[in-house]
Amino acid sequence: MTPEDFDTLVRSRRSVRGYLPTPVDPARIEAALQTALWAPSNCNVQPWTVHLVSGERLRALGRAMIEAAQTGRPHPDVPMDTPYLGIFRERQIGSAKALYGAMGIARDDREGRAAAFLRNLDAFGAPHALFVFLPEGFGTREAADLGGFVQTLMLALTAQGLGSVAQGALSLYPDIVRAHLGLGVGPQLMVGIAFGHEDPAHPANAARTDRARLSEILTRHD
Ligand SMILES: Cc1cc2nc3c(=O)[nH]c(=O)nc-3n(C[C@H](O)[C@H](O)[C@H](O)COP(=O)(O)O)c2cc1C
């Protein structure tokens, strides 16, 4: 593999938010997960446990989370209330504009935005989703390890020709997820990853994000 091949792989991954219902060949899912095992982590502790939920089990979980969203407030294991200010807010708005623009949802269309958000909880209709947990007692340092695991996995899925999207939204109702998966209290739900075959006709998949220039994030000390 050349550096250019790797660059192409990284740049061809993008968030997919509309899927065909066709299940993915289990061998391809297994292959992507086998690759993701090789993500690095602090002291090689590999602080991730992953639950793969598919088909009707995923739809049932989605229905339960959507009902919870319509009747109460989220209670994520890790609070999701950090305000994004300044340049971070600008970038957040940029990604929202790209998504809602592609879907034809106006800025003041609160109902449209709410409906678009709820699609998150059904994993955007994907046939599969992975729920990524951090063991009890682990915190920010180990959560950084999870970021590497998630990106490695999404790149492996991209290499398999599959679409994926990381979803903090799938961690908003951890008690419901734990109950559906038969888990006790303890493992912290950090993020979900919906994946499957992309529906090329879904308008959400026309969204494209940009990135900061290198000079905006890098300080050189020669
Ligand atoms: C940890 C994490 C959580 C995310 N949560 C969500 C989410 O809940 N819903 C969603 O639609 N996109 C979510 N995203 C996708 C980001 O919006 C997306 O990665 C970003 O806008 C850049 O776009 P790209 O993935 O197409 O390059 C998440 C991404 C990451 C890395």
Side-chain angles (χ1 to χ4, degrees):
M1 184 182 61
T2 65
E4 290 76 20
D5 289 337
F6 182 66
D7 183 72
T8 300
L9 175 70
V10 171
R11 290 178 193 244
S12 58
R13 185 218 56 81
R14 56 183 167 72
S15 293
V16 169
R17 299 184 178 91
Y19 291 87
L20 301 174
T22 328
V24 174
D25 174 1
R28 292 167 78 185
I29 301 177
E30 169 83 17
L33 287 165
Q34 290 285 352
T35 300
L37 288 178
W38 289 92
S41 56
N42 273 282
C43 303
N44 201 25
V45 292
Q46 304 160 67
W48 40 72
T49 51
V50 184
H51 288 252
L52 172 60
V53 187
S54 302
E56 183 45 37
R57 292 284 301 270
L58 182 56
R59 299 286 83 83
L61 178 52
R63 282 194 295 274
M65 289 195 283
I66 288 170
E67 191 186 330
Q70 287 167 334
T71 53
R73 299 181 69 81
H75 292 285
D77 291 332
V78 178
M80 230 186 261
D81 50 12
T82 314
Y84 292 160
L85 304 172
I87 183 63
F88 304 111
R89 177 78 179 137
E90 283 174 31
R91 292 173 187 163
Q92 180 188 28
I93 290 171
S95 75
K97 270 188 184 166
L99 178 58
Y100 294 128
M103 296 181 78
I105 300 172
R107 195 182 166 87
D108 57 357
D109 179 1
R110 293 180 63 158
E111 270 183 29
R113 287 187 168 224
F117 171 76
L118 286 182
R119 294 184 62 245
N120 263 285
L121 302 178
D122 189 38
F124 299 111
H128 311 281
L130 293 154
F131 290 81
V132 183
F133 291 86
L134 192 63
E136 188 170 18
F138 283 169
T140 313
R141 185 167 294 279
E142 293 78 21
D145 295 337
L146 244 61
F149 176 81
V150 167
Q151 169 71 339
T152 307
L153 183 52
M154 291 196 299
L155 291 180
L157 291 166
T158 306
Q160 290 284 341
L162 299 167
S164 64
V165 58
Q167 291 186 260
L170 286 181
S171 72
L172 288 173
Y173 301 94
D175 293 338
I176 294 175
V177 175
R178 278 187 286 265
H180 274 244
L181 304 183
L183 299 172
V185 182
Q188 306 169 76
L189 179 55
M190 301 299 290
V191 66
I193 305 169
F195 71 95
H197 298 283
E198 176 173 355
D199 176 357
H202 198 289
N205 291 336
R208 294 291 181 274
T209 54
D210 57 10
R211 293 296 187 270
R213 287 187 305 276
L214 184 57
S215 59
E216 292 177 61
I217 62 117
L218 175 70
T219 305
R220 296 178 196 273
H221 303 265
D222 294 326

